[in-house]
Amino acid sequence: MKKALITGITGQDGSYLAELLLEKGYRVYGLMRRKSVVDYGNVEHIKDKINFIYGDMTDLVSLISAMKISQADEVYNLAAQSFVATSWEQPLATAEIDAIGVTNILEAIRTVKPATRFYQASTSEMFGLVQEIPQKESTPFYPRSPYGVAKLYGHWITKNYRESFGMFACSGILFNHESERRGKEFVTRKITNAVARIKYGLQEFLELGNLDAKRDWGHSKDYVMAMWLMLQQEKPDDYVIATNETRTVREFVQSAFSIAGMNIQWQGEGVNEIGIDKITKKVVVKVNPKYFRPAEVDVLIGDAYKAETKLNWNREISFENLVERMVRNDLEITKREAEDKVR
């Protein structure tokens, strides 16, 4: 039985990856920070199948202990301060977790079991001010946030440990991937949650920043399969995981409201833009300048040719299906909330 250690196991990707590995017969260990109230997050439904170990990415001793306990054959480092907006508010904490934390886990592996295969969650935010379209593994990086900068350190230190110590260490440069389990602070879930709450009369309107920002959106369930495939190869390498498509935030909004039976009429431009429901004539979307980034990343679109050919990886969930799954899920949750308020 293979053993895997997942950091960030209670998050979106960690939960889908845990499900995948359990299906494949792995013994799954999950790193958790100790809290006053235990929170299993997205793995609540499978918590009895996971072996939890208390630890922290900023504490090397705890990571060495986690490696000794798990004796993991594969380590998936998904732990991160992953909200871009927060990285400007907490740049040092972001660096400690997303940059130095990667060095800590690599050192723990090298100390305890150097033959362990390691996956590092890199990000398309490292491309930032894009130098070519689409972005692929050879595209120069130009991060535009403390999050992107910290992740770039994690990416390069992973490559350095691979080349310096002969470790099986890979980075997946994952473009935006969402799901029904996405945190509500992220723009996609913020949109689908607001759509549902507006639909059931629990919220008046949705406030967003740059509607023209373009992103390459896929589903987390597809992307964790790519993570696993990377660690099953003969040689370690880095891969872009993306859909090869890009859409604006405005298009995501339009799709989400449409699925809920609402059609948006846009009025104004930029900071003055609003979205009006054609049926009710009510304003349901407003642009608020406070949600604009200090340094915007205008367009991200990935070229996943290498992953598709070398890993034989392909996504199964389309953009349209992704949005529908998220909206339907939030409609169900919000409907129950609305019914509870009536009782």
Side-chain angles (χ1 to χ4, degrees), residues 7 56-60 63 75-81 93-110 118-122 126 147 149-161 167 169-171:
T7 71
D56 192 289
M57 295 303 294
T58 63
D59 180 21
L60 176 58
L63 297 180
V75 172
Y76 296 86
N77 183 35
L78 310 184
Q81 190 302 99
T94 300
E96 284 289 334
I97 298 166
D98 297 6
I100 303 304
V102 185
T103 311
N104 286 337
I105 190 66
L106 284 165
E107 272 297 293
I109 292 169
R110 191 168 75 94
F118 175 74
Y119 170 83
Q120 165 61 14
S122 290
M126 299 187 307
Y147 169 73
V149 172
K151 278 290 190 176
L152 185 54
Y153 175 97
H155 179 81
W156 278 111
I157 201 67
T158 298
K159 188 185 290 284
N160 270 260
Y161 270 66
M167 294 173 64
C170 300
S171 288

